[in-house]
Amino acid sequence: MGLSRDQMAIRVARELQDGYYVNLGIGIPTLVANHVPEGMEVMLQSENGLLGMGPFPTEENVDADLINAGKQTVTTATGASIFSSAESFAMIRGGHVDLTVLGAFEVDAHGNIASWMIPGKLIKGMGGAMDLVAGADNIIVTMTHADKYGNSKLLPECSLPLTGAGCIKQVLTDLAYLEIRDGKFHLVERAPGISVEEIVEKTAGELVVPDNVPEMQF
Amino acid sequence: MAGFDKVVNTYEEAMAGLEDDMTLIAGGFGICGIPENLIAQIKTMGTKGLTIVSNNCGIDGFGLGVLLEDRQIKKMISSYVGENKLFEEQLLAGDLEVELTPQGTLAEKMRAAGAGIPAFYTATGYGTDIAEGKDVREFDGRKYILEESIKADFAIVKAWKADRYGNAIYRHTAQNFNPMAATAGKITVMEVEEIVEPGELDPTQIHTPGIYVDRLIQGTFEKRIEIRTVREG
């Protein structure tokens, strides 16, 4: 058994630093907000124009004019600011957001990411994903290591249409934490109880395995 | 109307001059901050063949989604679509064209158009399918693609309050694409919840200066919520 969704969020949350501005995608990335270490302040950016996203509102505080990028009703945190979409993407594309966490279908050894479209299925659009991966320097991709048939999602080359080229340097899967550089995946940590052999077997792209691969602690 | 007074009294006047096959930019994100009454007026007018530039296409029965009902939309330029069944049906049947554009690029296309900038380079989308056929240039060792700005015959926007001169303030995240949309229309029509006299709004707090606004109308809004998410209070 690899990491649970919550454990993945906990592991990502260890990369947070006090004073970080962070954009979290939908799914597992959203859960990271629940695991901000005690005493640390981070501000969540929502690309529809909100910096300093608070929790969901109580029933009596629901406001149709206050939503997040997933179109859910939200609240503002203390010290929040609200601005236009152009301003929002200026801070994303200008590299001002400290950490971006998002999901993907595939990542390859060149740092390419495919996350928005599966040919043959209905295409809904990329939303802000192409802007986020192109604009951020510090991105963590969270996804399962392999699909439900056991096929690796860490590939020599992405097979699906790209969201961004050469922009991913860190991937957290349910099995491992990996870095991408020089056209290779580098194994950094493994999930508790997961062997290096299993990770090697489920990584289709070239993988560099150091002598010592520490196990994540929870 | 006299001087800088932009106020019109009916939705017919507000949308007068919109014709078949025109391009229209609409503010809003999802169905938050959308010019819902101006959209309803376009439905009433029955204008056809429209190219609509907006982040999304509303939902079934609300927002831009209502313009699908009588097939008034020829083409959507959006970052995320398909929250509505009708949209999917018309797309799959080939009755509707879609040009998917990254959200930040879409916002910048409107902003640039309003600022008199015909095109700009961005890293967003480089190396992806959307870069196909677009000029690529390298700056400081990084590759960028050339994206053209989008002007429209009409821009329709929703603000919270405006004075009669069209100086406007948005409320919370209902701001979204509205300020850029307001700058990018040959004719910009703004609808608001409240019109006040010039001088009543603090000039420091204005989001959209009245220079961008051609027609201003006060309406009442349903403000439907797409995804109501609450926590236990």
Side-chain angles (χ1 to χ4, degrees), chain A residues 167-211:
Chain A
C167 47
I168 305 303
K169 295 175 197 150
Q170 304 169 84
V171 183
L172 176 75
T173 73
D174 52 338
L175 306 184
Y177 187 68
L178 308 99
E179 289 174 359
I180 301 172
R181 54 178 186 272
D182 310 322
K184 298 180 181 88
F185 292 105
H186 295 256
L187 183 54
V188 179
E189 290 171 24
R190 60 199 167 86
I194 299 296
S195 67
V196 169
E197 289 69 32
E198 181 176 352
I199 296 163
V200 169
E201 185 199 332
K202 288 185 175 162
T203 306
E206 190 174 344
L207 176 66
V208 177
V209 182
D211 293 337

Side-chain angles (χ1 to χ4, degrees), chain B residues 31 60 73 88 90 117 125 161 174 203:
Chain B
I31 52 171
D60 284 319
I73 305 175
E88 189 177 331
Q90 291 181 23
I117 298 167
K161 286 183 189 182

Side-chain angles (χ1 to χ4, degrees), chain A:
Chain A
M1 277 299 287
L3 301 181
S4 67
R5 288 163 57 87
D6 253 317
Q7 283 176 314
M8 288 177 74
I10 290 166
R11 177 62 192 84
V12 171
R14 290 178 188 159
E15 302 300 313
L16 296 171
Q17 290 182 27
D18 197 25
Y20 257 20
Y21 296 102
V22 181
N23 184 292
L24 302 175
I26 52 168
I28 291 165
T30 304
L31 301 176
V32 174
N34 301 335
H35 300 289
V36 177
E38 193 101 0
M40 187 181 281
E41 285 191 282
V42 302
M43 243 191 223
L44 302 177
Q45 205 261 12
S46 189
E47 61 265 27
N48 58 317
L50 168 60
L51 185 61
M53 183 166 47
F56 294 132
T58 55
E59 190 62 53
E60 54 276 18
N61 289 324
V62 166
D63 188 330
D65 288 337
L66 187 52
I67 65 168
N68 64 17
K71 295 166 188 139
Q72 297 168 309
T73 45
V74 289
T75 58
T76 52
T78 304
S81 56
I82 290 175
F83 34 81
S84 73
S85 299
E87 186 76 52
S88 182
F89 282 93
M91 60 184 76
I92 289 168
R93 293 151 72 113
H96 303 278
V97 176
D98 296 302
L99 175 65
T100 294
V101 186
L102 76 168
F105 301 138
E106 297 173 346
V107 170
D108 74 25
H110 308 287
N112 298 324
I113 173 171
S115 67
W116 75 282
M117 150 182 195
I118 298 176
K121 290 201 179 169
L122 184 75
I123 300 157
K124 291 196 165 192
M126 69 292 283
M130 286 191 181
D131 304 284
L132 282 160
V133 297
D137 195 39
N138 190 15
I139 305 170
I140 301 176
V141 170
T142 59
M143 62 179 192
T144 55
H145 208 96
D147 67 18
K148 59 183 172 182
Y149 306 106
N151 299 312
S152 180
K153 292 159 82 170
L154 300 162
L155 303 172
E157 302 278 347
C158 284
S159 65
L160 297 168
L162 297 185
T163 309
C167 47
I168 305 303
K169 295 175 197 150
Q170 304 169 84
V171 183
L172 176 75
T173 73
D174 52 338
L175 306 184
Y177 187 68
L178 308 99
E179 289 174 359
I180 301 172
R181 54 178 186 272
D182 310 322
K184 298 180 181 88
F185 292 105
H186 295 256
L187 183 54
V188 179
E189 290 171 24
R190 60 199 167 86
I194 299 296
S195 67
V196 169
E197 289 69 32
E198 181 176 352
I199 296 163
V200 169
E201 185 199 332
K202 288 185 175 162
T203 306
E206 190 174 344
L207 176 66
V208 177
V209 182
D211 293 337
N212 176 35
V213 183
E215 197 176 79
M216 293 173 205
Q217 303 295 319
F218 289 95

Side-chain angles (χ1 to χ4, degrees), chain B residues 130 190 201 231:
Chain B
I130 68 140
M190 174 181 279
L201 299 176
R231 70 187 145 100

